[in-house]
Amino acid sequence: MKVQFNFRSAVIEIICMLYVLLFVYAATSKLLDFQHFKIELGQSPLLSAFAEWIAVLVPAAEYITCLLLIIPRFRLTGLFLAYGLMVMFTVYIFIILNYTSFVPCSCGGVLEKLDWKSHMIFNLVFVCLAVLGILLHVRRNKMNGHQIKRVKIIRAFSAVTVCGICIVSILFIISENIIHYHNKLTRRFPQTPIQQEAVADLKLNSFYIAGVDDSHVYLGNTTAPLLVTTLNTRLFKTDEKMIDLARKDLPFRAVKISVQSPYFFVTDGTIPVVFRGRIQEWKAKLVFIGGEYFTTALALDSLTVAVVTNNSKTGDNVLGTITVGKNGKTILNPLILQKQVDGVFDTDGHLLYSKAMDKVVFLYYYRNQFTIADKSLKITDKGTTIDTITKAQLNIVRDKKHHQRKFSSPPLFVNKNCSLYRNLLFVNSAIPGRYEDDRIWKEASIIDVYNLNDKSYLMSFCIYNLEGKKMKSFTVLDDKIYVLVGTKIIRYKIGMKITSKYITKDK
Protein backbone atom coordinates (compact mmCIF):
# COMPACT_ATOMS: atom_id res chain seq x y z
CA MET A 1 0.00 0.00 0.00
CA LYS A 2 2.86 2.33 0.74
CA VAL A 3 4.21 1.95 -2.84
CA GLN A 4 0.77 2.74 -4.33
CA PHE A 5 0.46 5.80 -2.12
CA ASN A 6 3.83 7.16 -3.25
CA PHE A 7 2.97 6.48 -6.87
CA ARG A 8 -0.31 8.41 -6.60
CA SER A 9 1.44 11.30 -4.89
CA ALA A 10 4.11 11.40 -7.59
CA VAL A 11 1.49 11.45 -10.38
CA ILE A 12 -0.44 14.23 -8.63
CA GLU A 13 2.78 16.25 -8.22
CA ILE A 14 3.66 15.79 -11.89
CA ILE A 15 0.18 16.86 -13.03
CA CYS A 16 0.24 19.91 -10.77
CA MET A 17 3.72 20.91 -11.94
CA LEU A 18 2.72 20.53 -15.60
CA TYR A 19 -0.22 22.85 -15.00
CA VAL A 20 1.97 25.31 -13.10
CA LEU A 21 4.51 25.37 -15.93
CA LEU A 22 1.77 25.81 -18.54
CA PHE A 23 -0.16 28.53 -16.74
CA VAL A 24 2.89 30.48 -15.50
CA TYR A 25 4.33 30.51 -19.01
CA ALA A 26 0.99 31.40 -20.62
CA ALA A 27 0.13 34.17 -18.14
CA THR A 28 3.64 35.67 -18.16
CA SER A 29 3.86 35.71 -21.97
CA LYS A 30 0.47 37.49 -22.08
CA LEU A 31 1.58 40.16 -19.60
CA LEU A 32 5.00 40.69 -21.21
CA ASP A 33 3.25 41.60 -24.47
CA PHE A 34 -0.03 42.76 -22.96
CA GLN A 35 -0.94 45.17 -25.76
CA HIS A 36 -0.52 42.47 -28.40
CA PHE A 37 -2.58 40.06 -26.28
CA LYS A 38 -5.41 42.62 -26.11
CA ILE A 39 -5.23 43.10 -29.87
CA GLU A 40 -5.48 39.32 -30.39
CA LEU A 41 -8.54 39.16 -28.13
CA GLY A 42 -10.03 42.16 -29.92
CA GLN A 43 -9.68 40.30 -33.22
CA SER A 44 -11.20 37.11 -31.79
CA PRO A 45 -14.50 36.16 -33.43
CA LEU A 46 -15.70 35.06 -29.99
CA LEU A 47 -14.69 37.57 -27.33
CA SER A 48 -14.13 40.86 -29.21
CA ALA A 49 -16.62 42.82 -27.13
CA PHE A 50 -15.02 41.77 -23.82
CA ALA A 51 -11.35 41.96 -24.76
CA GLU A 52 -10.56 44.74 -22.27
CA TRP A 53 -11.40 42.85 -19.07
CA ILE A 54 -10.75 39.30 -20.31
CA ALA A 55 -7.17 40.39 -21.08
CA VAL A 56 -6.72 40.98 -17.32
CA LEU A 57 -8.95 38.22 -15.99
CA VAL A 58 -7.36 35.28 -17.86
CA PRO A 59 -3.73 35.81 -16.68
CA ALA A 60 -5.01 36.52 -13.14
CA ALA A 61 -7.01 33.25 -13.12
CA GLU A 62 -3.97 31.33 -14.38
CA TYR A 63 -1.70 32.76 -11.65
CA ILE A 64 -4.31 32.09 -8.92
CA THR A 65 -4.67 28.50 -10.15
CA CYS A 66 -0.90 28.01 -9.95
CA LEU A 67 -0.86 29.34 -6.40
CA LEU A 68 -3.62 26.95 -5.32
CA LEU A 69 -1.84 24.00 -6.97
CA ILE A 70 1.39 24.73 -5.11
CA ILE A 71 -0.21 24.90 -1.64
CA PRO A 72 -1.11 21.32 -0.55
CA ARG A 73 -4.11 22.42 1.47
CA PHE A 74 -5.80 24.02 -1.57
CA ARG A 75 -4.55 21.57 -4.21
CA LEU A 76 -7.94 19.95 -4.87
CA THR A 77 -9.52 23.39 -5.38
CA GLY A 78 -6.64 24.26 -7.71
CA LEU A 79 -7.17 21.09 -9.75
CA PHE A 80 -10.87 21.84 -10.15
CA LEU A 81 -10.07 25.41 -11.18
CA ALA A 82 -7.46 24.15 -13.67
CA TYR A 83 -10.03 21.68 -15.02
CA GLY A 84 -12.60 24.48 -15.39
CA LEU A 85 -10.16 26.77 -17.21
CA MET A 86 -9.15 24.03 -19.65
CA VAL A 87 -12.81 23.17 -20.27
CA MET A 88 -13.48 26.85 -21.13
CA PHE A 89 -10.40 27.06 -23.38
CA THR A 90 -11.52 23.87 -25.16
CA VAL A 91 -15.10 25.10 -25.62
CA TYR A 92 -13.66 28.38 -26.93
CA ILE A 93 -11.73 26.53 -29.66
CA PHE A 94 -14.70 24.27 -30.46
CA ILE A 95 -16.97 27.28 -31.04
CA ILE A 96 -14.30 29.03 -33.15
CA LEU A 97 -13.94 25.96 -35.38
CA ASN A 98 -17.67 25.32 -35.79
CA TYR A 99 -19.79 28.41 -35.15
CA THR A 100 -17.88 31.60 -35.98
CA SER A 101 -17.74 33.50 -39.26
CA PHE A 102 -13.96 33.06 -39.53
CA VAL A 103 -11.05 31.30 -37.84
CA PRO A 104 -8.38 33.71 -36.52
CA CYS A 105 -4.64 33.11 -36.42
CA SER A 106 -3.33 30.60 -33.87
CA CYS A 107 -2.25 31.65 -30.39
CA GLY A 108 1.28 32.83 -29.76
CA GLY A 109 3.86 31.56 -27.29
CA VAL A 110 4.71 27.88 -26.94
CA LEU A 111 1.58 26.89 -28.93
CA GLU A 112 2.27 29.23 -31.86
CA LYS A 113 3.13 26.35 -34.22
CA LEU A 114 -0.09 24.46 -33.46
CA ASP A 115 -3.18 24.90 -35.61
CA TRP A 116 -6.56 25.16 -33.90
CA LYS A 117 -7.41 21.47 -34.12
CA SER A 118 -4.02 20.47 -32.67
CA HIS A 119 -4.50 23.08 -29.96
CA MET A 120 -7.88 21.55 -29.10
CA ILE A 121 -6.28 18.09 -28.75
CA PHE A 122 -3.59 19.63 -26.52
CA ASN A 123 -6.30 21.14 -24.32
CA LEU A 124 -8.22 17.87 -24.12
CA VAL A 125 -5.08 16.10 -22.90
CA PHE A 126 -4.78 18.62 -20.06
CA VAL A 127 -8.50 18.24 -19.30
CA CYS A 128 -7.90 14.49 -18.86
CA LEU A 129 -4.84 15.16 -16.71
CA ALA A 130 -6.90 17.40 -14.43
CA VAL A 131 -9.58 14.69 -14.10
CA LEU A 132 -6.90 12.09 -13.29
CA GLY A 133 -5.29 14.40 -10.74
CA ILE A 134 -8.62 15.06 -8.99
CA LEU A 135 -9.51 11.35 -8.82
CA LEU A 136 -6.07 10.40 -7.47
CA HIS A 137 -6.20 13.24 -4.94
CA VAL A 138 -9.63 12.09 -3.70
CA ARG A 139 -8.44 8.48 -3.53
CA ARG A 140 -5.36 9.47 -1.53
CA ASN A 141 -7.44 11.51 0.94
CA LYS A 142 -9.76 8.54 1.39
CA MET A 143 -6.83 6.33 2.33
CA ASN A 144 -5.69 8.96 4.83
CA GLY A 145 -9.10 8.98 6.49
CA HIS A 146 -10.40 12.18 4.78
CA GLN A 147 -13.21 10.63 2.79
CA ILE A 148 -15.11 12.73 0.25
CA LYS A 149 -18.41 11.31 -0.92
CA ARG A 150 -18.55 10.19 -4.55
CA VAL A 151 -21.78 12.17 -5.03
CA LYS A 152 -20.02 15.42 -4.09
CA ILE A 153 -17.23 14.75 -6.59
CA ILE A 154 -19.72 14.02 -9.37
CA ARG A 155 -21.66 17.15 -8.52
CA ALA A 156 -18.46 19.21 -8.49
CA PHE A 157 -17.40 17.85 -11.90
CA SER A 158 -20.87 18.51 -13.31
CA ALA A 159 -21.05 22.04 -11.90
CA VAL A 160 -17.59 23.04 -13.15
CA THR A 161 -18.18 21.52 -16.60
CA VAL A 162 -21.61 23.11 -17.08
CA CYS A 163 -20.42 26.49 -15.78
CA GLY A 164 -17.38 26.45 -18.07
CA ILE A 165 -19.46 25.63 -21.15
CA CYS A 166 -22.19 28.14 -20.26
CA ILE A 167 -19.79 31.01 -19.51
CA VAL A 168 -18.02 30.73 -22.87
CA SER A 169 -21.27 30.14 -24.81
CA ILE A 170 -23.04 33.11 -23.20
CA LEU A 171 -20.03 35.38 -23.80
CA PHE A 172 -20.04 34.29 -27.45
CA ILE A 173 -23.75 35.04 -27.91
CA ILE A 174 -23.55 38.43 -26.18
CA SER A 175 -20.32 39.38 -27.95
CA GLU A 176 -21.78 38.53 -31.37
CA ASN A 177 -24.79 40.74 -30.70
CA ILE A 178 -22.61 43.63 -29.52
CA ILE A 179 -20.12 43.37 -32.40
CA HIS A 180 -22.72 43.16 -35.16
CA TYR A 181 -25.40 45.53 -33.82
CA HIS A 182 -23.98 47.67 -30.97
CA ASN A 183 -20.34 47.90 -31.97
CA LYS A 184 -18.17 50.69 -30.56
CA LEU A 185 -15.24 50.53 -33.00
CA THR A 186 -14.03 46.96 -32.48
CA ARG A 187 -13.08 45.52 -35.86
CA ARG A 188 -12.68 41.92 -36.95
CA PHE A 189 -10.15 40.99 -39.62
CA PRO A 190 -10.75 37.45 -40.95
CA GLN A 191 -7.89 35.79 -42.81
CA THR A 192 -7.54 36.62 -46.54
CA PRO A 193 -11.09 37.79 -47.40
CA ILE A 194 -9.61 39.29 -50.60
CA GLN A 195 -6.78 38.25 -52.93
CA GLN A 196 -4.97 40.33 -55.56
CA GLU A 197 -5.53 39.03 -59.10
CA ALA A 198 -4.28 41.70 -61.51
CA VAL A 199 -2.56 45.09 -61.58
CA ALA A 200 -1.97 47.59 -64.40
CA ASP A 201 -0.08 50.86 -64.69
CA LEU A 202 -2.24 53.67 -66.08
CA LYS A 203 0.79 56.03 -66.23
CA LEU A 204 -1.33 58.92 -64.87
CA ASN A 205 -2.90 59.58 -61.46
CA SER A 206 -5.80 61.65 -62.84
CA PHE A 207 -8.09 58.70 -63.58
CA TYR A 208 -11.26 57.90 -61.64
CA ILE A 209 -13.60 54.89 -61.90
CA ALA A 210 -16.67 56.00 -63.86
CA GLY A 211 -18.34 52.58 -63.76
CA VAL A 212 -17.93 48.82 -64.11
CA ASP A 213 -19.91 45.99 -65.61
CA ASP A 214 -19.37 42.25 -66.02
CA SER A 215 -16.77 42.65 -68.76
CA HIS A 216 -15.34 46.18 -68.55
CA VAL A 217 -14.00 48.93 -66.32
CA TYR A 218 -14.70 52.49 -67.47
CA LEU A 219 -12.32 55.25 -66.41
CA GLY A 220 -12.87 58.98 -66.51
CA ASN A 221 -10.02 61.51 -66.40
CA THR A 222 -10.06 64.80 -64.51
CA THR A 223 -7.53 66.41 -66.88
CA ALA A 224 -9.44 65.28 -70.00
CA PRO A 225 -13.07 65.49 -68.80
CA LEU A 226 -14.69 63.88 -71.86
CA LEU A 227 -12.16 61.08 -72.37
CA VAL A 228 -13.29 57.55 -71.49
CA THR A 229 -10.74 54.74 -71.19
CA THR A 230 -12.12 51.19 -71.27
CA LEU A 231 -10.32 48.22 -69.69
CA ASN A 232 -11.29 44.57 -69.75
CA THR A 233 -11.52 42.59 -66.51
CA ARG A 234 -7.83 41.64 -66.86
CA LEU A 235 -7.12 45.40 -66.80
CA PHE A 236 -5.86 45.59 -70.40
CA LYS A 237 -6.86 48.73 -72.30
CA THR A 238 -9.39 47.85 -74.99
CA ASP A 239 -10.66 51.26 -76.06
CA GLU A 240 -10.25 54.99 -75.62
CA LYS A 241 -12.95 57.39 -76.78
CA MET A 242 -13.72 61.08 -76.60
CA ILE A 243 -17.40 61.59 -75.79
CA ASP A 244 -19.27 63.50 -78.47
CA LEU A 245 -21.71 65.91 -76.77
CA ALA A 246 -24.75 67.24 -78.58
CA ARG A 247 -24.05 70.69 -77.07
CA LYS A 248 -20.46 71.90 -76.84
CA ASP A 249 -21.19 75.60 -76.39
CA LEU A 250 -22.01 75.40 -72.66
CA PRO A 251 -19.68 76.83 -69.95
CA PHE A 252 -18.51 73.47 -68.53
CA ARG A 253 -16.58 73.63 -65.28
CA ALA A 254 -17.23 70.36 -63.38
CA VAL A 255 -17.82 67.57 -65.91
CA LYS A 256 -18.29 64.10 -64.45
CA ILE A 257 -18.88 60.83 -66.31
CA SER A 258 -20.99 58.04 -64.82
CA VAL A 259 -21.53 54.67 -66.53
CA GLN A 260 -24.61 52.55 -65.87
CA SER A 261 -24.34 49.97 -68.63
CA PRO A 262 -25.64 50.11 -71.35
CA TYR A 263 -25.94 53.89 -70.77
CA PHE A 264 -23.49 56.56 -69.72
CA PHE A 265 -24.21 60.02 -68.31
CA VAL A 266 -22.26 63.26 -68.45
CA THR A 267 -23.21 65.79 -65.77
CA ASP A 268 -22.14 69.26 -64.77
CA GLY A 269 -24.00 70.75 -61.82
CA THR A 270 -22.56 74.25 -62.32
CA ILE A 271 -24.70 74.81 -65.43
CA PRO A 272 -26.66 72.48 -64.65
CA VAL A 273 -26.94 69.81 -67.38
CA VAL A 274 -27.33 66.06 -67.84
CA PHE A 275 -26.31 64.28 -71.05
CA ARG A 276 -27.09 60.65 -71.79
CA GLY A 277 -25.88 58.18 -74.41
CA ARG A 278 -25.08 54.54 -75.10
CA ILE A 279 -21.63 53.10 -74.46
CA GLN A 280 -21.56 51.47 -77.90
CA GLU A 281 -21.45 54.93 -79.54
CA TRP A 282 -20.18 57.36 -76.86
CA LYS A 283 -22.47 60.05 -78.28
CA ALA A 284 -24.52 61.95 -75.70
CA LYS A 285 -27.77 63.86 -76.10
CA LEU A 286 -28.83 66.68 -73.80
CA VAL A 287 -31.66 65.30 -71.64
CA PHE A 288 -31.80 67.92 -68.87
CA ILE A 289 -30.83 71.58 -68.55
CA GLY A 290 -31.67 74.30 -66.05
CA GLY A 291 -33.33 73.96 -62.67
CA GLU A 292 -31.38 73.35 -59.47
CA TYR A 293 -27.61 73.49 -59.42
CA PHE A 294 -26.04 70.37 -57.93
CA THR A 295 -22.69 69.29 -56.52
CA THR A 296 -23.07 65.51 -56.81
CA ALA A 297 -24.92 63.39 -59.37
CA LEU A 298 -25.50 59.63 -59.61
CA ALA A 299 -27.44 57.83 -62.35
CA LEU A 300 -29.95 55.38 -60.86
CA ASP A 301 -31.32 54.08 -64.16
CA SER A 302 -31.78 55.26 -67.75
CA LEU A 303 -34.23 58.03 -66.71
CA THR A 304 -33.39 59.00 -63.14
CA VAL A 305 -30.41 60.84 -61.69
CA ALA A 306 -29.98 61.42 -57.96
CA VAL A 307 -28.35 64.75 -57.03
CA VAL A 308 -27.21 66.75 -54.03
CA THR A 309 -28.43 70.30 -54.54
CA ASN A 310 -29.05 73.37 -52.36
CA ASN A 311 -32.16 74.71 -50.73
CA SER A 312 -32.93 78.01 -52.49
CA LYS A 313 -34.01 79.65 -49.21
CA THR A 314 -31.55 78.36 -46.61
CA GLY A 315 -28.61 77.27 -48.79
CA ASP A 316 -28.53 73.88 -47.02
CA ASN A 317 -27.75 70.71 -48.93
CA VAL A 318 -30.80 68.75 -50.12
CA LEU A 319 -31.04 65.34 -51.75
CA GLY A 320 -33.13 65.17 -54.90
CA THR A 321 -33.83 63.17 -58.05
CA ILE A 322 -34.05 64.42 -61.62
CA THR A 323 -36.20 62.57 -64.13
CA VAL A 324 -34.69 63.28 -67.55
CA GLY A 325 -36.49 63.48 -70.89
CA LYS A 326 -39.55 65.32 -72.17
CA ASN A 327 -41.57 64.82 -68.99
CA GLY A 328 -38.64 65.60 -66.72
CA LYS A 329 -39.25 66.64 -63.16
CA THR A 330 -37.26 67.20 -59.98
CA ILE A 331 -38.12 65.75 -56.54
CA LEU A 332 -36.44 67.16 -53.42
CA ASN A 333 -36.56 65.77 -49.88
CA PRO A 334 -35.00 68.13 -47.30
CA LEU A 335 -35.50 65.52 -44.54
CA ILE A 336 -32.83 63.09 -45.75
CA LEU A 337 -29.74 65.25 -45.10
CA GLN A 338 -29.77 66.20 -41.41
CA LYS A 339 -28.13 69.51 -40.50
CA GLN A 340 -25.78 69.56 -37.46
CA VAL A 341 -23.45 72.53 -37.91
CA ASP A 342 -23.95 74.58 -41.06
CA GLY A 343 -26.16 72.46 -43.33
CA VAL A 344 -23.55 72.38 -46.11
CA PHE A 345 -20.17 70.97 -45.05
CA ASP A 346 -21.69 68.84 -42.30
CA THR A 347 -24.08 67.20 -44.80
CA ASP A 348 -21.40 66.35 -47.36
CA GLY A 349 -21.18 62.68 -48.16
CA HIS A 350 -21.27 59.77 -50.58
CA LEU A 351 -24.29 59.12 -52.78
CA LEU A 352 -24.84 55.44 -53.63
CA TYR A 353 -27.44 53.23 -55.28
CA SER A 354 -28.20 49.50 -55.08
CA LYS A 355 -30.04 48.05 -58.05
CA ALA A 356 -30.71 44.82 -56.14
CA MET A 357 -32.37 46.66 -53.24
CA ASP A 358 -33.70 49.48 -55.45
CA LYS A 359 -32.54 51.91 -52.77
CA VAL A 360 -30.56 55.14 -52.59
CA VAL A 361 -28.02 55.35 -49.76
CA PHE A 362 -26.37 58.51 -48.45
CA LEU A 363 -23.29 58.06 -46.25
CA TYR A 364 -21.93 61.15 -44.47
CA TYR A 365 -18.26 62.14 -44.70
CA TYR A 366 -17.82 63.47 -41.18
CA ARG A 367 -20.08 61.32 -38.98
CA ASN A 368 -21.01 57.68 -38.53
CA GLN A 369 -24.46 57.83 -40.09
CA PHE A 370 -26.18 56.78 -43.30
CA THR A 371 -29.73 57.09 -44.62
CA ILE A 372 -31.56 54.66 -46.91
CA ALA A 373 -34.39 55.84 -49.19
CA ASP A 374 -36.36 54.54 -52.18
CA LYS A 375 -36.13 56.19 -55.61
CA SER A 376 -38.97 58.56 -54.75
CA LEU A 377 -36.78 59.69 -51.82
CA LYS A 378 -39.00 58.30 -49.10
CA ILE A 379 -36.79 57.38 -46.16
CA THR A 380 -36.99 53.64 -45.46
CA ASP A 381 -34.24 53.23 -42.86
CA LYS A 382 -31.27 54.77 -41.08
CA GLY A 383 -28.11 53.25 -39.68
CA THR A 384 -24.67 53.92 -38.27
CA THR A 385 -21.18 52.65 -38.90
CA ILE A 386 -19.10 51.29 -36.01
CA ASP A 387 -17.23 54.61 -35.71
CA THR A 388 -18.21 56.51 -32.58
CA ILE A 389 -18.34 60.03 -34.05
CA THR A 390 -22.02 60.95 -34.15
CA LYS A 391 -21.54 64.68 -34.74
CA ALA A 392 -19.39 66.27 -37.44
CA GLN A 393 -16.28 67.83 -35.89
CA LEU A 394 -15.86 70.90 -38.10
CA ASN A 395 -14.38 74.34 -37.62
CA ILE A 396 -16.02 76.68 -40.13
CA VAL A 397 -15.40 80.40 -40.62
CA ARG A 398 -17.06 82.97 -42.88
CA ASP A 399 -14.92 84.80 -45.41
CA LYS A 400 -16.88 88.07 -45.60
CA LYS A 401 -14.73 89.51 -48.36
CA HIS A 402 -15.44 86.64 -50.76
CA HIS A 403 -18.83 85.71 -49.23
CA GLN A 404 -17.73 82.14 -48.60
CA ARG A 405 -17.67 79.62 -45.77
CA LYS A 406 -14.39 77.74 -45.31
CA PHE A 407 -12.73 75.25 -42.98
CA SER A 408 -10.48 77.00 -40.47
CA SER A 409 -8.73 73.65 -39.87
CA PRO A 410 -8.79 70.30 -41.71
CA PRO A 411 -12.03 68.38 -41.03
CA LEU A 412 -12.05 65.01 -39.31
CA PHE A 413 -13.06 62.46 -41.92
CA VAL A 414 -14.98 59.40 -40.73
CA ASN A 415 -15.92 57.75 -44.03
CA LYS A 416 -13.34 58.52 -46.72
CA ASN A 417 -14.52 56.27 -49.56
CA CYS A 418 -17.23 53.69 -50.09
CA SER A 419 -18.93 51.36 -52.52
CA LEU A 420 -22.30 49.61 -52.51
CA TYR A 421 -23.08 46.30 -54.16
CA ARG A 422 -26.39 44.54 -53.64
CA ASN A 423 -27.02 44.71 -49.87
CA LEU A 424 -23.40 45.16 -48.73
CA LEU A 425 -21.91 48.56 -47.98
CA PHE A 426 -18.09 48.77 -48.15
CA VAL A 427 -16.69 51.75 -46.23
CA ASN A 428 -13.10 52.99 -46.22
CA SER A 429 -12.96 54.25 -42.65
CA ALA A 430 -10.60 56.96 -41.42
CA ILE A 431 -10.94 56.16 -37.70
CA PRO A 432 -8.68 53.53 -36.03
CA GLY A 433 -10.37 50.89 -33.90
CA ARG A 434 -9.78 49.89 -30.29
CA TYR A 435 -7.56 46.82 -30.80
CA GLU A 436 -5.57 47.66 -33.91
CA ASP A 437 -1.87 48.01 -34.52
CA ASP A 438 -0.84 51.52 -35.64
CA ARG A 439 1.30 49.97 -38.38
CA ILE A 440 -1.81 48.71 -40.18
CA TRP A 441 -3.06 52.28 -40.61
CA LYS A 442 0.29 53.38 -42.03
CA GLU A 443 0.57 50.43 -44.42
CA ALA A 444 -3.02 49.93 -45.57
CA SER A 445 -6.53 51.31 -46.01
CA ILE A 446 -9.21 49.69 -43.85
CA ILE A 447 -12.51 48.62 -45.43
CA ASP A 448 -15.47 47.88 -43.13
CA VAL A 449 -18.33 45.78 -44.51
CA TYR A 450 -21.98 46.28 -43.48
CA ASN A 451 -25.14 44.37 -44.31
CA LEU A 452 -27.87 46.91 -45.04
CA ASN A 453 -30.62 44.29 -44.69
CA ASP A 454 -30.25 44.35 -40.91
CA LYS A 455 -27.76 47.28 -40.61
CA SER A 456 -25.17 44.97 -39.05
CA TYR A 457 -21.38 45.17 -39.16
CA LEU A 458 -19.90 42.04 -40.75
CA MET A 459 -16.10 42.32 -40.86
CA SER A 460 -13.14 44.38 -42.05
CA PHE A 461 -10.20 43.86 -44.37
CA CYS A 462 -7.10 45.72 -45.53
CA ILE A 463 -6.12 47.05 -48.93
CA TYR A 464 -2.38 47.52 -48.62
CA ASN A 465 -0.43 50.47 -49.97
CA LEU A 466 1.35 50.12 -53.29
CA GLU A 467 4.78 51.71 -53.67
CA GLY A 468 4.10 53.77 -50.54
CA LYS A 469 0.81 55.18 -51.84
CA LYS A 470 -2.59 54.66 -50.27
CA MET A 471 -5.78 53.70 -52.04
CA LYS A 472 -7.46 56.65 -53.77
CA SER A 473 -10.83 55.09 -54.59
CA PHE A 474 -12.46 51.72 -55.18
CA THR A 475 -15.61 50.06 -56.47
CA VAL A 476 -17.15 46.62 -55.93
CA LEU A 477 -18.89 44.41 -58.47
CA ASP A 478 -19.93 40.91 -57.40
CA ASP A 479 -16.74 39.10 -56.31
CA LYS A 480 -14.34 41.77 -57.63
CA ILE A 481 -12.91 44.96 -56.13
CA TYR A 482 -11.27 47.49 -58.45
CA VAL A 483 -8.89 49.86 -56.66
CA LEU A 484 -7.00 52.97 -57.80
CA VAL A 485 -3.66 53.52 -56.06
CA GLY A 486 -1.41 56.24 -57.46
CA THR A 487 -1.06 55.52 -61.18
CA LYS A 488 -2.05 51.83 -60.76
CA ILE A 489 -5.36 50.00 -60.92
CA ILE A 490 -5.65 46.71 -59.03
CA ARG A 491 -8.27 43.97 -59.17
CA TYR A 492 -8.93 41.86 -56.08
CA LYS A 493 -11.09 38.77 -55.77
CA ILE A 494 -13.52 38.78 -52.82
CA GLY A 495 -13.79 35.55 -50.84
CA MET A 496 -16.87 33.61 -49.81
CA LYS A 497 -16.77 35.10 -46.31
CA ILE A 498 -18.17 38.25 -47.93
CA THR A 499 -19.94 37.13 -51.12
CA SER A 500 -22.02 34.58 -49.21
CA LYS A 501 -23.75 37.56 -47.54
CA TYR A 502 -25.06 39.00 -50.81
CA ILE A 503 -28.78 38.86 -51.47
CA THR A 504 -29.26 36.59 -54.45
CA LYS A 505 -31.18 38.43 -57.18
CA ASP A 506 -31.54 41.90 -58.65
CA LYS A 507 -35.01 43.32 -58.68
Side-chain angles (χ1 to χ4, degrees):
M1 296 296 293
K2 185 175 182 181
V3 174
Q4 290 180 344
F5 173 76
N6 290 337
F7 175 75
R8 291 192 182 95
S9 297
V11 173
I12 293 170
E13 290 292 336
I14 291 171
I15 291 172
C16 289
M17 287 305 104
L18 285 174
Y19 262 108
V20 169
L21 286 172
L22 176 66
F23 284 162
V24 166
Y25 176 83
T28 303
S29 63
K30 292 179 180 73
L31 295 180
L32 287 177
D33 198 357
F34 186 68
Q35 189 61 34
H36 180 68
F37 176 53
K38 277 205 304 184
I39 290 173
E40 283 187 337
L41 284 177
Q43 299 305 325
S44 165
L46 201 70
L47 304 173
S48 308
F50 309 109
E52 200 73 40
W53 58 268
I54 287 179
V56 176
L57 194 59
V58 170
E62 289 173 333
Y63 278 133
I64 291 170
T65 302
C66 292
L67 185 63
L68 294 174
L69 290 172
I70 291 171
I71 302 173
R73 181 181 175 185
F74 302 110
R75 184 159 288 170
L76 184 59
T77 303
L79 284 168
F80 268 112
L81 186 54
Y83 169 75
L85 286 175
M86 294 310 295
V87 166
M88 286 193 287
F89 295 157
T90 305
V91 173
Y92 171 79
I93 295 174
F94 179 79
I95 293 176
I96 277 182
L97 291 175
N98 294 279
Y99 297 103
T100 58
S101 57
F102 69 95
V103 178
C105 298
S106 298
C107 296
V110 72
L111 303 177
E112 185 176 6
K113 302 302 180 183
L114 296 180
D115 59 24
W116 283 99
K117 290 183 179 178
S118 300
H119 196 168
M120 187 171 181
I121 294 171
F122 179 90
N123 284 5
L124 287 171
V125 170
F126 269 82
V127 168
C128 294
L129 287 175
V131 172
L132 178 61
I134 291 169
L135 294 177
L136 290 176
H137 194 283
V138 171
R139 179 66 177 169
R140 188 181 66 176
N141 285 352
K142 182 178 179 181
M143 295 182 66
N144 290 338
H146 304 288
Q147 187 171 355
I148 302 177
K149 291 183 179 181
R150 182 182 299 177
V151 176
K152 288 186 177 181
I153 295 298
I154 294 174
R155 286 177 179 173
F157 269 121
S158 300
V160 173
T161 304
V162 171
C163 285
I165 294 172
C166 288
I167 288 171
V168 178
S169 300
I170 290 170
L171 287 177
F172 168 58
I173 294 169
I174 297 174
S175 180
E176 284 293 279
N177 184 64
I178 291 173
I179 290 298
H180 291 303
Y181 300 102
H182 308 285
N183 195 324
K184 300 299 181 184
L185 209 48
T186 300
R187 290 189 174 90
R188 288 180 174 174
F189 293 90
Q191 297 179 52
T192 59
I194 64 169
Q195 291 184 336
Q196 183 175 314
E197 289 187 320
V199 60
D201 191 351
L202 301 172
K203 307 301 183 183
L204 299 170
N205 64 0
S206 54
F207 287 100
Y208 63 89
I209 300 174
V212 295
D213 59 28
D214 292 335
S215 54
H216 296 96
V217 180
Y218 304 96
L219 302 177
N221 194 319
T222 55
T223 57
L226 295 177
L227 181 67
V228 178
T229 302
T230 305
L231 311 177
N232 62 21
T233 54
R234 292 180 295 169
L235 305 184
F236 295 142
K237 184 191 293 187
T238 60
D239 200 3
E240 194 172 68
K241 293 286 187 180
M242 191 69 72
I243 294 174
D244 183 12
L245 296 182
R247 289 278 304 271
K248 301 181 179 67
D249 58 328
L250 300 171
F252 297 107
R253 286 182 291 173
V255 171
K256 187 73 180 290
I257 300 168
S258 174
V259 177
Q260 290 284 355
S261 185
Y263 294 95
F264 72 92
F265 292 80
V266 178
T267 59
D268 189 332
T270 64
I271 299 175
V273 290
V274 177
F275 291 84
R276 184 187 65 195
R278 288 185 173 271
I279 57 177
Q280 292 90 342
E281 302 172 342
W282 296 110
K283 294 181 179 180
K285 296 180 180 180
L286 182 63
V287 291
F288 176 84
I289 187 169
E292 288 80 7
Y293 296 94
F294 54 84
T295 56
T296 304
L298 176 69
L300 307 184
D301 55 38
S302 61
L303 296 174
T304 310
V305 178
V307 296
V308 176
T309 182
N310 298 107
N311 186 304
S312 57
K313 295 181 179 179
T314 64
D316 295 347
N317 284 341
V318 180
L319 191 62
T321 58
I322 298 171
T323 303
V324 301
K326 294 181 180 179
N327 300 319
K329 62 178 181 178
T330 302
I331 300 174
L332 300 178
N333 185 352
L335 299 178
I336 293 180
L337 305 185
Q338 294 295 306
K339 178 178 179 178
Q340 288 186 333
V341 182
D342 71 327
V344 179
F345 293 113
D346 64 334
T347 54
D348 276 344
H350 306 279
L351 188 55
L352 306 159
Y353 174 68
S354 168
K355 181 181 178 182
M357 298 178 68
D358 199 26
K359 292 289 190 292
V360 177
V361 176
F362 188 86
L363 175 69
Y364 293 94
Y365 285 152
Y366 308 117
R367 48 178 138 150
N368 67 346
Q369 298 165 1
F370 58 85
T371 302
I372 305 172
D374 59 24
K375 286 204 296 189
S376 62
L377 296 188
K378 180 181 178 182
I379 297 174
T380 60
D381 220 334
K382 292 184 178 181
T384 61
T385 62
I386 61 174
D387 306 284
T388 56
I389 298 173
T390 58
K391 185 174 181 179
Q393 299 181 17
L394 308 174
N395 293 315
I396 301 169
V397 296
R398 290 186 178 275
D399 185 343
K400 295 181 179 179
K401 182 178 179 180
H402 297 93
H403 305 286
Q404 293 179 335
R405 285 178 287 188
K406 297 180 179 180
F407 290 121
S408 61
S409 61
L412 176 64
F413 268 95
V414 176
N415 304 304
K416 294 170 66 176
N417 286 295
C418 63
S419 182
L420 176 62
Y421 183 72
R422 296 185 185 270
N423 57 306
L424 296 192
L425 175 64
F426 299 78
V427 180
N428 174 206
S429 176
I431 308 298
R434 296 174 64 193
Y435 307 110
E436 295 165 13
D437 195 319
D438 291 342
R439 289 177 298 177
I440 293 179
W441 286 84
K442 294 178 182 178
E443 299 171 359
S445 299
I446 307 302
I447 308 296
D448 300 326
V449 186
Y450 301 88
N451 186 344
L452 295 187
N453 281 347
D454 56 8
K455 302 184 296 301
S456 64
Y457 164 73
L458 295 179
M459 63 187 72
S460 301
F461 60 87
C462 299
I463 294 180
Y464 285 92
N465 301 347
L466 185 64
E467 298 174 354
K469 292 183 173 60
K470 278 190 172 291
M471 177 187 72
K472 183 169 64 174
S473 64
F474 72 102
T475 191
V476 177
L477 179 71
D478 200 11
D479 64 343
K480 300 290 188 291
I481 300 181
Y482 296 95
V483 179
L484 288 177
V485 182
T487 63
K488 306 289 178 64
I489 183 169
I490 309 170
R491 188 190 77 211
Y492 293 91
K493 183 176 178 60
I494 307 174
M496 284 292 294
K497 293 183 179 73
I498 295 174
T499 58
S500 62
K501 306 297 183 182
Y502 288 144
I503 56 177
T504 55
K505 294 182 179 180
D506 286 348
K507 291 189 177 181

